[in-house]
Amino acid sequence: MKRVPKSRRGRLVLLAAVLVAAGSIVVGAVRGSGGELPLAGLPAGPVDARALADLVIRVDASGHDPREIAVELDGEPVTGTVEGDTVLVRPGPLPDGVHRLTATAPGGFLSGGPDAAGSFTVDSTPPVVLVTATPPPTSYRLPFVVRGSVQGAQQVRLGAQPITPAPDGTFEVTLPRPPAATTIEAVDAAGNVTTVPILGGVDIPRTRAVHVTAHAWSHEGLRESVLDLARAGRIDTVQLDIKDEDGIIGYDSQVPLARESGAASTIYDAPAAVRQLHDLGLRVVGRIVAFRDPQVAAWAWHSGRRDWVVQHAGGQPYSSHYGPIAFTNFAHPEIRRYNIDLAVEAAKLGFDDIMYDYVRRPDGPLAQMVFPGIATDPTTSIAEFLRESRDPVHESGAVLGAAVFGIASTRPEQIAQDIPMIARHVDYVAPMLYPSHWNAGEYGVADPNSQPYDIILASLGDFVRLTAGTGAEVIPWLQDFSLGVTYGPGQVQAQIDATAAAGIDSYILWSPTVRYHL
């Protein structure tokens, strides 16, 4: 073979660059006519399909005509792009395995091989992750265990928490409480990622509940009538008011705004009430009437905090059939914080669930309302409040629910309650499906108030459909009061039967007088 004169021999160097945001390039080396030549960037480890798509190998042909450089990939000629004294080679799609690239200048093969050579490995196979199905706990006060196995991964994370699997690939992680939702993510040396969703949340026990006001609980006769239902096995849950429609908190809350505004009271002893109900094996749902709050609204308005109150376009408090100053401004951070603080306090006192009611805008023409400081539309703002509430409530040990209007399934804009948006941030939605509240002919039911079974079954189907895939359950409010039609055991049972026919075994009965037909 003819020897190339030194004056023509220049250096032939392989340079490679992988443009991947998540990784960096490791400097290697190739063999050339002058011995080991520096290699900048050829991947030292495996590359995945994304990195391969961006891989550019540069052949430095200084001292040679780059158009005469012979480049081969796995023994097959490849065509590069010439830029000055450099030949750019883009391998493109390749199968998994080790691939060898060689470059030879005219008159090369001085030592029986190419002037430059380098190898790299393609690995597009992601790690294998198997998660063992584990029944979810029934409370956010219980730990949440994730078990499974992983193969072929270099890094494993549960959410943001690193996991170190055992030598055989198995892992078990115990979280202090169930997450709302998270993922197991496994990454191999090439950057391939496998992500497995972990459905968090809790398995809410069957709920057969009745509504109890603070004053009813403080009344021995009404309290005992509710407890008798529990002793007879007719209910397993009591919904006890925390903050009512007047904005009054039934117990001596220590939340600063509750005390400053005069909302806190001593109608009942919350720790004692929760303890008594738990001793009977009952769950306790604490109801917080969120934004219908005349107590704080009036206090805020008269103390110069007018942006805490929903207003008319003219700047006065928004008045309605609820009263002259009834609704606080759900968009204001202090109003949100107040309700969340009450929820957290109640959860820490032992309430099993926190259910927000009146988590909506006032009903009426939206164009006549002003929500000072709102940065989005009312519907989104309401959902964002629930998102802000979720973690503090869960971290305090309670399940989070939201009571919603029945019409929210078909007319969400009327009260700013978008059911799919809300459902993504709560453990359950509780639609108020009272037959007396539907118009004649809705859902094809001629007289809903006289046809409780038909209207409950028809309307409940919409809520099941709208919450599908959100992780939220549906627990309907049912009617146990008379409004236009006399309601007794038959009408109540018809609604319970319709709920069961819709595939739901939970419900909450509403009676403003706290007298129930069970």
Side-chain angles (χ1 to χ4, degrees):
M1 181 179 296
K2 185 176 179 180
R3 188 177 180 85
V4 180
K6 288 185 179 180
S7 61
R8 293 178 52 204
R9 239 194 295 168
R11 295 199 315 162
L12 187 59
V13 181
L14 283 183
L15 304 172
V18 184
L19 309 176
V20 183
S24 60
I25 303 305
V26 180
V27 175
V30 297
R31 187 166 58 82
S33 59
E36 291 290 323
L37 297 176
L39 170 63
L42 194 66
V47 294
D48 63 3
R50 291 178 305 166
L52 183 62
D54 293 322
L55 179 62
V56 180
I57 301 176
R58 300 173 181 270
V59 181
D60 185 350
S62 300
H64 298 281
D65 184 345
R67 293 169 297 180
E68 296 184 4
I69 301 300
V71 182
E72 293 186 352
L73 179 60
D74 297 331
E76 297 293 330
V78 294
T79 301
T81 302
V82 175
E83 287 188 1
D85 289 334
T86 304
V87 180
L88 307 181
V89 180
R90 295 177 172 84
L94 292 170
D96 284 8
V98 178
H99 299 275
R100 177 178 171 82
L101 186 138
T102 62
T104 307
F109 294 97
L110 296 181
S111 57
D115 292 294
S119 298
F120 58 92
T121 301
V122 175
D123 177 6
S124 61
T125 302
V128 176
V129 179
L130 299 176
V131 176
T132 303
T134 304
T138 56
S139 169
Y140 284 101
R141 295 184 174 93
L142 298 174
F144 185 82
V145 179
V146 181
R147 299 184 182 92
S149 64
V150 60
Q151 300 296 330
Q154 193 174 63
Q155 298 177 354
V156 186
R157 290 189 299 271
L158 173 59
Q161 177 180 338
I163 297 175
T164 302
D168 63 355
T170 59
F171 61 84
E172 179 176 313
V173 182
T174 300
L175 301 177
R177 62 176 180 84
T182 188
T183 59
I184 292 282
E185 183 181 89
V187 185
D188 66 14
N192 296 295
V193 180
T194 297
T195 302
V196 176
I198 303 296
L199 297 179
V202 297
D203 184 11
I204 301 172
R206 183 180 68 168
T207 299
R208 296 176 301 159
V210 293
H211 160 69
V212 179
T213 66
H215 284 290
W217 183 259
S218 70
H219 184 280
E220 183 178 359
L222 291 175
R223 181 176 65 251
E224 282 301 313
S225 69
V226 169
L227 296 179
D228 284 344
L229 292 174
R231 296 180 185 112
R234 296 177 183 175
I235 62 172
D236 51 36
T237 304
V238 166
Q239 180 272 291
L240 181 58
D241 278 358
I242 294 170
K243 176 159 71 86
D244 65 16
E245 292 85 349
D246 294 324
I248 299 300
I249 300 163
Y251 59 85
D252 191 19
S253 172
Q254 299 303 301
V255 172
L257 182 56
R259 306 189 72 78
E260 187 176 359
S261 65
S265 75
T266 56
I267 299 171
Y268 71 91
D269 182 334
V274 170
R275 184 168 55 252
Q276 182 177 7
L277 291 166
H278 282 170
D279 286 347
L280 285 173
L282 301 177
R283 297 177 64 252
V284 188
V285 177
R287 173 175 170 261
I288 296 177
V289 177
F291 303 124
R292 178 184 172 183
D293 191 337
Q295 183 71 25
V296 166
W299 173 86
W301 187 264
H302 295 302
S303 64
R305 298 170 174 85
R306 297 191 170 191
D307 56 341
W308 291 23
V309 178
V310 177
Q311 301 174 15
H312 281 288
Q316 292 303 305
Y318 184 82
S319 59
S320 64
H321 60 281
Y322 295 110
I325 309 179
F327 274 83
T328 53
N329 178 13
F330 52 80
H332 199 285
E334 292 298 329
I335 293 298
R336 292 188 180 202
R337 175 50 50 194
Y338 173 51
N339 285 282
I340 293 172
D341 285 348
L342 288 175
V344 167
E345 178 185 60
K348 290 180 177 178
L349 289 174
F351 284 84
D352 300 286
D353 296 14
I354 299 298
M355 183 199 295
Y356 288 119
D357 199 352
Y358 285 85
V359 58
R360 62 177 179 85
R361 72 169 177 87
D363 40 319
L366 181 59
Q368 297 179 11
M369 301 177 195
V370 175
F371 311 98
I374 193 168
T376 183
D377 61 274
T379 300
T380 302
S381 187
I382 291 294
E384 287 177 348
F385 164 73
L386 292 168
R387 177 183 56 78
E388 291 175 18
S389 296
R390 181 183 60 198
D391 286 350
V393 170
H394 287 175
E395 289 167 4
S396 301
V399 169
L400 181 61
V404 296
F405 266 20
I407 63 168
S409 61
T410 56
R411 304 185 285 282
E413 70 285 347
Q414 291 190 10
I415 32 72
Q417 288 183 333
D418 182 288
I419 298 307
M421 288 177 65
I422 287 173
R424 294 185 188 100
H425 305 305
V426 298
D427 297 292
Y428 62 88
V429 294
M432 296 175 281
L433 303 180
Y434 312 133
S436 60
H437 285 37
W438 294 99
N439 296 322
E442 290 206 63
Y443 287 103
V445 179
D447 184 1
N449 206 11
S450 299
Q451 298 172 258
Y453 181 96
D454 296 334
I455 191 61
I456 294 296
L457 182 61
S459 60
L460 196 51
D462 258 356
F463 282 91
V464 172
R465 175 180 57 82
L466 290 170
T467 57
T470 66
E473 298 186 23
V474 178
I475 302 178
W477 282 98
L478 304 180
Q479 176 175 331
D480 196 352
F481 58 89
S482 299
L483 184 63
V485 173
T486 300
Y487 266 54
Q491 289 76 15
V492 171
Q493 188 59 49
Q495 295 173 82
I496 294 172
D497 291 345
T499 300
I504 296 173
D505 62 358
S506 294
Y507 56 85
I508 309 171
L509 293 181
W510 177 275
S511 167
T513 61
V514 193
R515 299 180 186 280
Y516 292 96
H517 298 91
L518 285 173

